[in-house]
Amino acid sequence: MLETIKRSTATRAVLLAAFAFTLCTGSAFAGEKKPLVYTSRIGPVVSRTVAPTGVPGHELVQTVRQDMTYSPDPDWNDVTVMNYGQSDMRSGTGTVTGHAVRTHRNGDKSVVSYRGNLRTVEEGGRKDIVGEGTLELTGGTGKFANARGKGTWRAARGESAVEMEVEY
């Protein structure tokens, strides 16, 4: 009888250890860093405010746009983005900061903060704003509640290309 109790206790201990190991390794895999690449196509402007500074060639601009994200990663493909940005341009060059809130296909949201440098270029008689900078995935809701990541962006001709390392 005592031998049966010892075997039963040992079996429970092994099962409990295996269960604990599964929980630990499962959560470690869930939080693994992975590369993320996506393109955002600049969409329609919802709101735009230009603040006159009184200095020729100096513009302070606040813009809200609805963009669209495309990616090989199904979590980030065909995702709507509300982009809230502020730029400070002086004679065709300047800075930009902002936040992009994505509503993923399942309804969860992710939030990215960005900053960078912009400049106006002319090609074939057409003006375009190009830029580059850094961004940070700071969280969201649902699947993205604890999401974190950092990366870079480059923008030209109505698109922003993003490369990040993310964890969620």
Side-chain angles (χ1 to χ4, degrees):
M1 177 75 155
L2 187 58
E3 190 65 33
T4 304
I5 292 173
K6 284 182 184 176
R7 267 190 257 146
S8 176
T9 303
T11 301
R12 278 192 218 131
V14 168
L15 289 173
L16 184 59
F19 179 71
F21 177 76
T22 302
L23 283 178
C24 291
T25 57
S27 63
F29 291 134
E32 249 180 42
K33 288 186 177 180
K34 68 177 190 172
L36 172 64
V37 176
Y38 64 80
T39 301
S40 286
R41 288 204 186 114
I42 295 173
V45 173
V46 176
S47 171
R48 182 174 183 186
T49 305
V50 178
T53 63
V55 178
H58 185 200
E59 288 185 322
L60 300 173
V61 180
Q62 184 169 8
T63 305
V64 178
R65 278 192 334 257
Q66 184 175 333
D67 299 344
M68 206 58 188
T69 298
Y70 301 97
S71 173
D73 185 320
D75 283 340
W76 298 82
N77 190 41
D78 205 24
V79 174
T80 302
V81 186
M82 288 307 292
N83 189 323
Y84 305 88
Q86 299 82 38
S87 62
D88 183 352
M89 300 289 285
R90 296 170 192 259
S91 301
T93 62
T95 58
V96 64
T97 59
H99 303 278
V101 179
R102 282 176 176 73
T103 303
H104 296 265
R105 296 173 118 197
N106 67 356
D108 293 345
K109 294 185 184 298
S110 62
V111 179
V112 171
S113 298
Y114 60 89
R115 65 180 50 248
N117 295 307
L118 301 174
R119 63 187 165 81
T120 303
V121 296
E122 284 193 52
E123 290 180 16
R126 191 185 120 185
K127 283 188 176 185
D128 189 21
I129 295 180
V130 298
E132 62 185 3
T134 59
L135 43 79
E136 183 174 0
L137 175 61
T138 59
T141 63
K143 182 176 188 172
F144 303 99
N146 296 310
R148 298 290 178 262
K150 292 186 179 191
T152 59
W153 63 268
R154 290 182 182 270
R157 292 181 292 287
E159 291 190 347
S160 291
V162 172
E163 293 183 14
M164 295 181 76
E165 183 141 314
V166 298
E167 184 176 356
Y168 59 91

